[in-house]
Amino acid sequence: MAADSVEREILIEASPEVVWGVITEPEQIGRWFSDAAEVDTSPGTDGTLTWMPGGRGGGDKEFDAIVPIRVVDAEPFRRFSFRWNHPEGAGPDENNSALVEFSLIEEANCTRLRVIESGIDAVTHDEEGKARYIEDHEQGWERHFGEMLDYVSSKLRGATR
Amino acid sequence: MAVAVAEDDALWAAVADPTRRRVLDALLEQGEATTTTLAQGLPVTRQAVAKHLTVLNRVGLVTGRRRGREVRYVVRPERLDDAAEAMARVAAQWDTRLARIKRLAETVQAEAGIDF
């Protein structure tokens, strides 16, 4: 796992086909992610996620927040990935966008859904910070990161409890 | 992550040591503590705790205030926050989204009324 990535998973009591529908159908995306979505699962297709004023996660905004996404890879019922958060009008690449990768694994009457978001730094750092980040970081740092993140996030939860 | 990267490295290095994490844990639990009170609850010497506190203080994770002959330490949670905020936020957001996906998918599956 890269230093600037997070990996999360959940076990769902539904078939991979059903889970696939929930993560890829625009109408369903509007129930768990943005408030509205235009998404086509063909690789290379551009779409948008829209957060609306008063909607989920955009409650204090006055205008629609429209975030571009581009589907990278889609294998029905198994894998779905897209890049997002790149600047409007620019094509997404590893330097200006984060990559979200879903994988669906069938297990006894369940689907294990895993998500990895990587390249978070590309959308949270400025250019100078990014360049230094790449220079400064070797493998050792990455090895620690998962453990550290768990630790720190548990502390943050503890501190605000 | 707005903090300088070199500063981040020192921060991670400080937190990378398991004993220092236990010192931080103990300090978070006690709210405010001295080297002596921290050492009482940990399987390390007072001198070792003092050394760890020096490292934690240097990167700004804890801050000490002199009260008479003793120094009382507190955790600065905003420093933990500085380094991990973006990542912790992303992870928490995905936890929320995955939980929603689970609920939606299980509802669809139940309505379909078929085992697979």
Side-chain angles (χ1 to χ4, degrees):
Chain A
M1 190 159 92
D4 65 333
S5 71
V6 300
E7 179 173 339
R8 285 293 193 256
E9 63 173 47
I10 199 164
L11 195 62
I12 302 174
E13 289 176 41
S15 66
E17 288 77 6
V18 167
V19 175
W20 174 264
V22 172
I23 62 172
T24 59
E25 287 166 16
E27 192 194 326
Q28 295 278 21
I29 292 172
R31 293 190 176 125
W32 63 265
F33 199 1
S34 52
D35 296 312
E38 282 178 42
V39 173
D40 180 318
T41 53
S42 315
T45 309
D46 287 314
T48 56
L49 300 172
T50 304
W51 280 266
M52 296 167 184
R56 190 186 306 119
D60 55 348
K61 293 192 184 76
E62 286 181 39
F63 306 98
D64 285 2
I66 302 170
V67 175
I69 81 164
R70 179 176 291 176
V71 175
V72 173
D73 191 21
E75 185 188 340
F77 321 136
R78 288 176 189 276
R79 285 180 299 123
F80 180 58
S81 62
F82 60 85
R83 288 198 164 274
W84 70 317
N85 271 319
H86 40 284
E88 213 181 328
D93 60 40
E94 59 190 26
N95 296 313
N96 69 2
S97 62
L99 176 66
V100 175
E101 297 167 282
F102 282 107
S103 58
L104 294 71
I105 303 132
E106 188 167 355
E107 288 181 13
N109 284 336
C110 286
T111 302
R112 184 170 298 279
L113 177 64
R114 185 171 297 151
V115 63
I116 299 173
E117 179 163 11
S118 54
I120 297 157
D121 246 49
V123 291
T124 56
H125 257 312
D126 58 14
E127 283 306 312
E128 195 198 350
K130 246 189 307 185
R132 250 185 325 183
Y133 177 86
I134 291 160
E135 268 174 25
D136 286 353
H137 288 88
E138 300 296 333
Q139 287 168 348
W141 201 83
E142 296 185 9
R143 193 157 34 82
H144 284 304
F145 200 86
E147 182 193 342
M148 222 79 87
L149 173 61
D150 288 347
Y151 174 77
V152 173
S153 50
S154 73
K155 288 303 115 193
L156 291 178
R157 277 196 301 275
T160 53
R161 198 150 47 206
Chain B
M1 290 197 273
V3 275
V5 172
E7 212 181 306
D8 268 2
D9 277 350
L11 192 58
W12 290 121
V15 188
D17 183 289
T19 310
R20 273 199 289 276
R21 288 207 294 269
R22 294 189 65 177
V23 171
L24 266 182
D25 278 340
L27 194 51
L28 275 167
E29 254 170 48
Q30 296 182 25
E32 194 184 60
T34 63
T35 309
T36 310
T37 58
L38 282 170
Q40 279 162 6
L42 294 167
V44 287
T45 62
R46 193 188 164 281
Q47 286 72 17
V49 170
K51 265 166 72 182
H52 289 308
L53 284 170
T54 303
V55 175
L56 293 170
N57 186 49
R58 196 160 51 222
V59 297
L61 278 165
V62 304
T63 182
R65 225 181 13 203
R66 185 162 285 283
R67 279 246 192 102
R69 287 184 56 212
E70 56 180 22
V71 180
R72 296 187 157 270
Y73 288 93
V74 291
V75 174
R76 294 178 61 202
E78 70 272 20
R79 274 302 272 150
L80 280 175
D81 209 16
D82 276 347
E85 186 188 27
M87 307 303 267
R89 198 174 53 229
V90 169
Q93 283 171 343
W94 280 113
D95 282 342
T96 305
R97 291 171 193 143
L98 290 180
R100 288 195 196 115
I101 291 171
K102 176 181 167 74
R103 205 180 54 224
L104 288 165
E106 289 179 353
T107 304
V108 171
Q109 187 76 47
E111 280 169 0
I114 35 161
D115 287 334
F116 59 94

